[in-house]
Amino acid sequence: MQIERYDGDREILLPLFTLADDSPAQVSSYIDKGEVLVARDGNRIVGHVQLIETGEGGVFELKSLAVRPARQSEGLGRALVAAAITRCRERYGRRLIVSTAAADIGNLRFYQRQGFRMFRIVQDAFGPSTGYPEGSVVNGIPLRDQVVFERDLGAD
């Protein structure tokens, strides 16, 4: 497996972006932003991570991360996050943020295991006004609030 910068047509990556975000409106608002790294197994793209500058000096956002379902639990997500951290440091980043649904227990666990710390909660971030279906549920929990994590890139 190899991780590299992706400069091709991002529509090819749409299936991965939609794995990471249930709102087509949200995906279309950011799919073309920032920088994307992909994990390749031969010629096949099996995962991606998207990094976006936040406008705050030295702070980047991990906006989208996904691994094809058949390749999950192999460490590819962890490798993509590590590559994203390396790339942010190369760009003189000092913090990396990422957000996920408070209802997504798997993501909460994953990001904390990658060294991210909870930074803030955004109440009612998910709903019809932001492109998410009314009454959505994740892990039996209503999809409402967003957890923002941060990782100090100077640590380690």
Side-chain angles (χ1 to χ4, degrees):
M1 195 236 355
Q2 163 185 337
I3 297 176
E4 63 190 21
R5 182 182 164 110
Y6 181 80
D7 291 316
D9 179 5
R10 295 207 184 158
E11 288 298 314
I12 293 168
L13 303 178
L14 189 57
L16 286 168
F17 276 87
T18 58
L19 274 176
D21 194 327
D22 294 331
S23 170
Q26 288 295 316
V27 170
S28 68
S29 75
Y30 63 74
I31 192 170
D32 292 321
K33 294 182 179 178
E35 180 176 8
V36 173
L37 305 176
V38 295
R40 290 185 186 268
D41 186 359
N43 288 331
R44 183 168 165 81
I45 295 173
V46 294
H48 85 290
V49 63
Q50 179 187 33
L51 297 167
I52 297 175
E53 292 183 51
T54 65
E56 182 182 341
V59 180
F60 291 86
E61 180 179 5
L62 190 161
K63 187 66 176 173
S64 183
L65 170 69
V67 174
R68 293 191 186 280
R71 300 299 303 271
Q72 291 177 3
S73 300
E74 295 179 15
L76 296 175
R78 185 173 53 248
L80 283 161
V81 170
I85 289 168
T86 297
R87 183 65 184 126
C88 288
R89 286 178 175 152
E90 289 170 354
R91 295 176 66 190
Y92 305 102
R94 56 185 178 77
R95 283 179 47 226
L96 178 60
I97 62 171
V98 63
S99 60
T100 191
D104 196 331
I105 298 164
N107 278 348
L108 297 175
R109 181 175 187 255
F110 174 79
Y111 287 116
Q112 289 177 88
R113 292 180 89 185
Q114 308 317 306
F116 286 85
R117 307 269 319 262
M118 289 185 190
F119 178 60
R120 74 175 186 258
I121 304 293
V122 179
Q123 291 187 345
D124 299 316
F126 301 102
S129 66
T130 55
Y132 296 89
E134 181 75 43
S136 293
V137 174
V138 177
N139 297 311
I141 303 168
L143 179 63
R144 289 192 293 245
D145 302 331
Q146 179 182 61
V147 177
V148 181
F149 287 94
E150 70 175 346
R151 172 139 178 198
D152 179 351
L153 298 178
D156 298 341

